[in-house]
């Protein structure tokens, strides 16, 4: 098949199936590579980006979190984890052992994202890696860079078609689950119970920074595993329910609040999530306790006026925070 035939097939695929630009996560070994391996991997990465663009938006972690940057270990994991689980395709180049690539493979599988695997002829690809349970669209064993380019170009129509089909099945489900805002519900339940995020992390065996991400990202909370979700809600004395449209929801102690407190809690979460760096957890608890003390006295705006329930807006929370802790 020549290049013109490939381009015609791609045009047909894109016109009939593709509505949004596809996203590919490019997973290659970056740590403990020899200078020769580093150069070879760079050649392959550049070829992948050249061939997949503009049909795919390609995220290459080598451009963002390579060895030697100031990112700490959790930064690298969270960035790469989030990019992997939100991709439509993960492209693996596996010419030498890499813990990072192996972890990315499992993240992609658990998020049901298909993959492409490429390796240089003679490289030993572990059976564990090849056996990971997500769909492998194509396997490319190549002799040299020219051979890789030729084989990837030939496989590209199949890769695009399979990736688009997968994305059209998967992405609406992710959006539906994300619309439940499970992370936000976890955040609200934790505030009401007075449970710190460190306490929740210790009780669920999930690191604090990951829980912070879950509470603030609808997409990330949509990718919680069932055991993770159940362990979190167990600690919040909450339950998970599936609605008629298949949308999950969390029901906990915040559901029992009077309407003014429920509105104020929503505004508190809005205020906290909208600010970076993120507000420290003890301060959130202190602010909620202060509001509750005021609200429980049935707030009276001025003498002679009727009593009314105290409702805080995001601006009210901002003013309270500034009063107690100063400017951001």
């Amino acid at each position: 098949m020549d290049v013109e035939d490939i381009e015609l097939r791609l045009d047909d695929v894109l016109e009939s199936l593709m509505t949004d630009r596809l996203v590919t996560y490019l997973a290659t070994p970056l740590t403990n590579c020899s200078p020769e391996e580093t150069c070879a991997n760079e050649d392959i990465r550049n070829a992948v980006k050249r061939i997949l663009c503009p049909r795919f938006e390609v995220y290459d972690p080598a451009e963002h979190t390579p060895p030697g940057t100031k990112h700490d270990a959790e930064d690298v994991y969270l960035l790469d984890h989030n990019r992997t689980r939100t991709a439509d395709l993960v492209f693996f180049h596996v010419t030498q052992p890499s813990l990072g690539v192996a972890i990315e493979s499992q993240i992609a599988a658990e998020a049901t994202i298909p993959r492409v695997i490429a390796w240089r002829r003679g490289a030993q690809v572990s059976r564990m890696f090849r056996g990971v349970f997500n769909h492998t669209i194509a396997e490319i064993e190549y002799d040299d860079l020219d051979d890789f380019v030729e084989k990837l170009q030939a496989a590209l129509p199949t890769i695009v078609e399979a990736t688009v089909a997968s994305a059209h099945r998967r992405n609406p489900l992710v959006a539906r689950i994300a619309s439940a805002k499970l992370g936000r519900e976890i955040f609200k339940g934790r505030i009401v119970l007075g449970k710190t995020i460190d306490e929740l992390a210790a009780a669920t065996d999930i690191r604090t920074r990951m829980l912070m991400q879950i509470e603030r990202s609808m997409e990330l909370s949509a990718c919680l595993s069932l055991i993770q979700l159940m362990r979190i809600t167990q600690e919040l004395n909450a339950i998970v329910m599936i609605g008629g449209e298949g949308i999950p929801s969390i029901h906990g102690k915040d559901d029992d609040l009077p309407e003014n407190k429920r509105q104020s809690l929503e505004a508190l979460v809005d205020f906290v999530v909208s600010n970076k760096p993120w507000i420290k957890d003890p301060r959130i608890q202190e602010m909620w306790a202060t509001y509750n003390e005021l609200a429980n006295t049935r707030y009276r705006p001025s003498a002679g006026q009727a009593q009314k329930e105290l409702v805080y807006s995001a601006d009210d929370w901002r003013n309270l925070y500034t009063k107690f802790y100063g400017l951001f």
Side-chain angles (χ1 to χ4, degrees), residues 18-50:
M18 190 171 174
T19 56
D20 297 311
R21 197 178 188 196
L22 300 168
V23 177
T24 295
Y25 182 92
L26 181 52
T28 61
L30 297 177
T31 305
N32 297 325
C33 295
S34 68
E36 294 77 15
E37 290 168 338
T38 298
C39 290
N41 284 330
E42 184 176 1
D43 288 341
I44 293 296
R45 291 201 310 272
N46 289 336
V48 171
K49 286 180 277 190
R50 184 176 68 254

Side-chain angles (χ1 to χ4, degrees), residues 184 263-275 314 318:
R184 187 184 181 92
Q263 292 180 24
S264 298
L265 181 60
E266 291 282 356
L268 174 58
V269 174
D270 285 339
F271 164 67
V272 172
V273 170
S274 67
N275 287 281
R318 183 180 302 277

Side-chain angles (χ1 to χ4, degrees), residues 99-171:
L99 289 174
V101 170
I103 292 170
E104 290 157 345
S105 179
Q106 187 62 30
I107 293 170
E110 292 178 355
T112 66
I113 297 167
R115 66 179 182 172
V116 172
I117 305 172
W119 69 94
R120 186 178 57 252
R121 191 178 304 279
Q124 297 297 313
V125 182
S126 77
R127 291 173 296 170
M128 186 76 172
F129 177 85
R130 302 224 12 214
V132 174
F133 54 82
N134 53 336
H135 174 48
T136 301
I137 296 174
E139 294 187 350
I140 301 173
E141 184 180 26
Y142 65 91
D143 294 313
D144 53 28
L145 182 61
D146 290 339
D147 187 39
F148 172 79
V149 168
E150 180 180 349
K151 289 178 176 177
L152 178 56
Q153 286 177 330
L156 191 54
T158 299
I159 292 171
V160 172
E161 185 171 6
T163 303
V164 171
S166 173
H168 280 194
R169 290 190 294 265
R170 175 182 180 273
N171 292 345

